[in-house]
Coordinates of all heavy atoms in Angstrom, one line a residue:
F81 N -50.3 24.1 213.1 CA -50.1 22.9 212.3 C -50.8 21.7 213.1 O -50.7 21.6 214.3 CB -48.7 22.5 212.1 CG -48.5 21.3 211.3 CD1 -48.7 21.3 209.9 CD2 -48.1 20.1 211.9 CE1 -48.5 20.1 209.2 CE2 -47.9 18.9 211.2 CZ -48.1 18.9 209.8
F82 N -51.6 20.9 212.4 CA -52.3 19.8 213.0 C -51.6 18.5 212.6 O -51.3 18.2 211.5 CB -53.7 19.8 212.4 CG -54.5 21.0 212.8 CD1 -54.5 22.1 211.9 CD2 -55.2 21.1 214.0 CE1 -55.2 23.2 212.2 CE2 -55.9 22.2 214.3 CZ -55.9 23.3 213.4
G83 N -51.4 17.7 213.7 CA -50.7 16.4 213.4 C -50.8 15.5 214.6 O -51.6 15.7 215.5
F84 N -49.9 14.6 214.7 CA -49.8 13.7 215.8 C -48.3 13.2 216.0 O -47.6 13.1 215.1 CB -50.7 12.5 215.7 CG -50.4 11.5 214.5 CD1 -50.0 10.2 214.8 CD2 -50.5 12.0 213.2 CE1 -49.7 9.3 213.8 CE2 -50.2 11.1 212.2 CZ -49.8 9.8 212.4
T85 N -48.0 13.0 217.3 CA -46.6 12.8 217.6 C -46.0 11.5 217.0 O -44.8 11.4 216.9 CB -46.3 12.8 219.1 OG1 -46.9 11.8 219.7 CG2 -46.7 14.2 219.7
H86 N -46.9 10.5 216.8 CA -46.4 9.2 216.2 C -46.2 9.3 214.7 O -45.7 8.3 214.1 CB -47.4 8.1 216.5 CG -47.4 7.7 218.0 ND1 -47.9 8.4 218.9 CD2 -47.0 6.5 218.5 CE1 -47.8 7.8 220.1 NE2 -47.3 6.6 219.9
C87 N -46.5 10.4 214.1 CA -46.3 10.6 212.7 C -44.9 10.3 212.3 O -44.0 10.9 212.8 CB -46.7 12.0 212.3 SG -46.6 12.4 210.5
P88 N -44.7 9.4 211.3 CA -43.3 9.1 210.9 C -42.7 10.1 210.0 O -41.4 10.1 209.9 CB -43.5 7.7 210.2 CG -44.9 7.8 209.6 CD -45.7 8.7 210.6
D89 N -43.4 10.9 209.3 CA -42.8 11.8 208.3 C -43.2 13.2 208.3 O -42.4 14.1 208.6 CB -42.9 11.2 206.9 CG -44.3 10.5 206.7 OD1 -45.3 11.2 207.1 OD2 -44.4 9.4 206.3
V90 N -44.4 13.5 207.9 CA -44.9 14.9 207.6 C -44.8 15.8 208.8 O -44.3 16.9 208.7 CB -46.3 14.9 207.0 CG1 -46.8 16.3 206.8 CG2 -46.3 14.2 205.6
C91 N -45.3 15.3 210.0 CA -45.3 16.1 211.1 C -43.9 16.5 211.6 O -43.6 17.7 211.8 CB -46.1 15.5 212.3 SG -47.8 15.3 211.8
P92 N -43.0 15.6 211.8 CA -41.7 16.0 212.3 C -41.0 16.9 211.2 O -40.2 17.8 211.5 CB -40.9 14.7 212.5 CG -41.8 13.6 212.1 CD -43.2 14.1 211.9
T94 N -42.4 18.9 209.1 CA -42.9 20.3 209.1 C -42.4 21.1 210.3 O -42.0 22.2 210.2 CB -44.5 20.2 209.2 OG1 -44.9 19.5 208.0 CG2 -45.1 21.6 209.2
F116 N -48.4 23.4 217.5 CA -48.7 22.0 217.0 C -49.9 21.5 217.7 O -49.9 21.3 218.9 CB -47.4 21.2 217.2 CG -47.6 19.7 216.8 CD1 -47.4 19.4 215.5 CD2 -48.0 18.7 217.7 CE1 -47.5 18.0 215.0 CE2 -48.1 17.4 217.3 CZ -47.9 17.1 216.0
V119 N -54.2 15.8 216.5 CA -55.5 15.3 216.1 C -55.6 13.9 216.7 O -56.5 13.2 216.3 CB -55.6 15.2 214.5 CG1 -55.6 16.7 214.0 CG2 -54.4 14.5 213.9
S173 N -52.3 4.4 212.8 CA -51.7 5.7 212.3 C -52.9 6.6 212.0 O -54.0 6.2 212.1 CB -50.9 5.4 211.0 OG -50.2 6.6 210.6
V174 N -52.6 7.9 211.7 CA -53.6 8.8 211.5 C -53.3 9.6 210.2 O -52.3 10.2 210.1 CB -53.8 9.9 212.6 CG1 -55.0 10.8 212.4 CG2 -53.9 9.2 214.0
D175 N -54.2 9.3 209.2 CA -54.1 10.2 208.0 C -54.7 11.5 208.3 O -55.8 11.6 208.9 CB -54.9 9.5 206.8 CG -54.2 8.3 206.3 OD1 -53.0 8.1 206.7 OD2 -54.8 7.5 205.5
H176 N -54.0 12.6 207.9 CA -54.5 13.9 208.3 C -54.1 15.0 207.3 O -53.2 14.8 206.6 CB -54.1 14.3 209.7 CG -52.6 14.4 209.8 ND1 -51.9 15.6 209.7 CD2 -51.6 13.5 210.0 CE1 -50.6 15.4 209.8 NE2 -50.4 14.1 210.0
T177 N -54.9 16.0 207.3 CA -54.6 17.2 206.5 C -53.2 17.7 206.9 O -52.9 17.9 208.0 CB -55.6 18.4 206.8 OG1 -56.9 17.9 206.5 CG2 -55.3 19.6 206.0
A178 N -52.3 17.8 205.9 CA -51.0 18.1 206.2 C -50.7 19.6 205.7 O -50.2 19.7 204.5 CB -50.0 17.1 205.5
Ligands
NI323 NI1 -48.3 13.7 210.3

Side-chain angles (χ1 to χ4, degrees):
F81 181 75
F82 299 90
F84 65 115
T85 65
H86 288 69
C87 180
D89 39 47
V90 174
C91 295
T94 302
F116 177 85
V119 293
S173 185
V174 186
D175 287 347
H176 63 96
T177 301

